[in-house]
Amino acid sequence: MTAGQALFVGGLWAEPEGGHYAVVDPATEETVGWAPEASRDQVRAACAAAREAFGPWSRTAPEDRAAILGRAAELIRRDLVAHADVARAETGATTGTARGMQVAVAAARFRRYARVEPAEWAIPPQINEAGPMGRAGVLGALAVRQPVGVVACVTSYNNPWANAAGKVAPALAMGNTVVVKPAPQDPLSVYRMARALEAAGVPPGVVNVVSGRSTGVGEAAVGSPDVDMVSFTGSTAVGRRIAEVCGRDMRRQLMELGGKGAALVFDDADLASAVAGIGTTFSFYSGQICTAPTRVLAQRGVHDRLVEQLAGYAHRLKVGDPREPDTVVGPVISAAHRDRVESYVELGRKEGAVVVAGGERPDLTAGFYVAPTLLAGCTNDMRVAREEIFGPVVVVVPFDDEEEGIALAGDSDYGLIDYVWSGDVARAFRVARRLRAGGVGINTVGRNMEAPFGGFRKSGVGRDVGSYALHAYSEVQAIVWPG
């Protein structure tokens, strides 16, 4: 790709006023494309275009909106391999992950929200006693979901397809219009998604995409008076700043923020299952995922065996070119992020942790690689056990009994997804109910994509996925009448 990518504003492909910047393949350090740098004025124009398009789009029949989403899903699936090649090149994901967990998931999300769901539901009639405003009677009521308006979708770099689709699809299904600001590291995939939506028949202004490395691009979108809601996925630090801006104008917000998932492994756990689940931290997006079980709490009776088996698992994983079919661990997103992850490993050493796997940079000629790293001998007050590293690094903290394990899991600023491994299912559910996390996996790291997704504490605000996303991207209106 040699020509620079254009912005998508008001149904037109526009040259960026800030020029272009290189998108770098984290596996080869080569340029894979040129992304547009929007000016603040262009971002404001995108928000204004979304505002103008909102009225007609919100009045479009839900069935017609759904039909466009369905066509977009099919168009994305049709070109899945080509889309995945770009996604792999700009994110560093393995080919299998780019195809199966990025592009295919995005298509599935558009297809899911092409199903029309009722936007209203009856509330049981209520008998009101006589009062100063009138006589006694029965009042009926409906609860009606109404679109919020213009949604600024600020997406993360670890999965540009699935993350953007998880915001755009339910927002459009509810009758909102969107301005998407993709992560600066890998925006080319999001522009491909916009092409598919354009080809599917989305009206001008309903979907807009603006990108840039400057923080001013995101600031202009979040601060625009035309924006009614911000949906953000990213770090807690950035989420806090966005929330402050939203709070000034009482804007709706959906925040999917950081995580430091605790994985409680009890003495009676199936160790093979626990090792395979925890091992996804090393392989899945090279640990660049907020839901990863990065903080292992191991009961002492199983601690040593678990550490030994996790270390063996990490040593067996092939680190290298994500295009190779047997590669399991690809690079992290950038040289700067590699340095950040490595600095945490060094910090762990200084804090007294023992590096039992990894800890050294892989011997590869190019690319931003980090070896799968396991830190044992940790305590829960170490920074490596408390802060989100966002890389293929797992820390192990021992505990004695159930109460201590629950207390350690809760001793965190985060509360996105925790995990429990135990052969006693009753105990696993009992423990899960006491964990202060938005989700808990019992003997699995899998997700049900209709279950609500979101976090407690500094892991976020709100819930989405499945039908919960339709609530997230809507306001609920009550309509009352005399029965």
Side-chain angles (χ1 to χ4, degrees):
M1 179 176 179
T2 56
Q5 171 66 53
L7 303 167
F8 190 52
V9 177
L12 300 174
W13 294 93
E15 286 301 306
E17 293 178 353
H20 292 86
Y21 66 91
V23 176
V24 175
D25 185 334
T28 65
E29 302 183 45
E30 298 174 352
T31 297
V32 297
W34 296 90
E37 182 79 33
S39 68
R40 285 179 177 264
D41 285 343
Q42 287 180 308
V43 177
R44 296 188 190 102
C47 297
R51 169 61 58 201
E52 184 177 354
F54 170 66
W57 179 249
S58 66
R59 294 188 294 270
T60 300
E63 295 81 4
D64 294 338
R65 297 197 298 257
I68 291 175
L69 297 182
R71 288 196 293 272
E74 293 309 309
L75 289 169
I76 291 169
R77 284 190 61 82
R78 184 193 68 187
D79 296 327
L80 185 148
V81 172
H83 292 328
D85 285 346
V86 173
R88 176 199 49 72
E90 63 177 348
T91 68
T94 63
T95 298
T97 295
R99 292 181 182 181
M101 300 304 299
Q102 295 193 3
V103 183
V105 169
R109 288 181 168 174
F110 278 105
R111 189 166 57 249
R112 186 262 178 265
Y113 293 106
R115 299 203 312 260
V116 178
E117 296 190 14
E120 60 185 44
W121 57 98
I123 298 172
Q126 179 182 354
I127 300 175
N128 286 15
E129 298 180 359
M133 300 303 292
R135 63 179 184 273
V138 178
L139 291 179
L142 275 178
V144 181
R145 283 197 299 254
Q146 298 278 16
V148 177
V150 176
V151 181
C153 302
V154 184
T155 65
S156 60
Y157 69 73
N158 57 344
N159 195 332
W161 276 96
N163 188 247
K167 299 177 185 299
V168 172
L172 296 184
M174 275 308 308
N176 302 284
T177 56
V178 299
V179 177
V180 186
K181 191 278 175 187
Q185 297 93 333
D186 49 15
L188 303 179
S189 290
V190 180
Y191 285 106
R192 282 176 164 259
M193 185 182 300
R195 287 277 186 194
L197 285 161
E198 180 188 34
V202 70
V206 170
V207 175
N208 306 270
V209 183
V210 289
S211 60
R213 291 179 297 181
S214 167
T215 58
V217 176
E219 290 171 354
V222 170
S224 169
D226 287 311
V227 168
D228 301 293
M229 173 181 173
V230 177
S231 178
F232 171 71
T233 298
S235 72
T236 296
V238 175
R240 183 183 292 113
R241 294 198 293 272
I242 291 175
E244 290 171 354
V245 174
C246 290
R248 288 197 289 268
D249 292 318
M250 301 303 292
R251 289 184 191 153
R252 172 75 71 86
Q253 54 186 287
L254 178 63
M255 296 285 174
E256 301 173 17
L257 307 178
K260 191 71 175 179
L264 284 85
V265 183
F266 287 93
D267 287 346
D268 61 352
D270 179 338
L271 276 193
S273 171
V275 169
I278 295 164
T280 61
T281 301
F282 302 134
S283 57
F284 196 44
Y285 302 127
S286 301
Q288 299 168 111
I289 183 167
C290 53
T291 59
T294 56
R295 185 169 55 112
V296 178
L297 307 178
Q299 197 166 15
R300 290 192 187 275
V302 78
H303 175 274
D304 291 351
R305 284 184 293 141
L306 181 62
V307 169
E308 180 183 5
Q309 292 186 29
L310 279 171
Y313 185 95
H315 285 304
R316 290 192 297 271
L317 300 177
K318 179 187 174 182
V319 181
D321 188 339
R323 293 170 295 186
E324 298 293 333
D326 59 341
T327 293
V328 180
V329 183
V332 296
I333 194 66
S334 66
H337 190 57
R338 177 187 59 192
D339 292 346
R340 179 181 183 274
V341 174
E342 290 178 340
S343 73
Y344 268 105
V345 175
E346 184 59 30
L347 174 63
R349 284 193 176 100
K350 292 178 180 177
E351 290 181 311
V354 178
V355 180
V356 294
E360 302 294 336
R361 184 176 296 184
D363 185 19
L364 297 166
T365 57
F368 312 127
Y369 293 94
V370 176
T373 300
L374 181 66
L375 302 178
C378 298
T379 58
N380 210 49
D381 59 351
M382 292 179 176
R383 284 179 59 192
V384 289
R386 304 196 66 82
E387 298 177 11
E388 186 176 38
I389 299 173
F390 220 60
V393 180
V394 172
V395 303
V396 184
V397 178
F399 71 91
D400 288 311
D401 56 27
E402 183 176 309
E403 288 299 320
E404 184 186 10
I406 293 170
L408 287 171
D411 183 16
S412 173
D413 290 336
Y414 299 106
L416 186 56
I417 296 185
D418 286 343
Y419 304 87
V420 180
W421 269 275
S422 173
D424 184 340
V425 175
R427 173 169 70 173
F429 273 89
R430 180 176 70 243
V431 170
R433 293 292 296 270
R434 294 183 60 189
L435 297 177
R436 299 289 294 168
V440 180
I442 294 178
N443 296 327
T444 183
V445 293
R447 281 178 57 194
N448 182 322
M449 298 309 293
E450 288 296 315
F453 179 76
F456 288 15
R457 299 191 292 270
K458 293 182 181 179
S459 284
V461 177
R463 297 292 183 273
D464 71 349
V465 181
S467 296
Y468 297 90
L470 299 178
H471 287 287
Y473 293 98
S474 63
E475 298 280 11
V476 178
Q477 177 188 62
I479 301 176
V480 181
W481 67 92

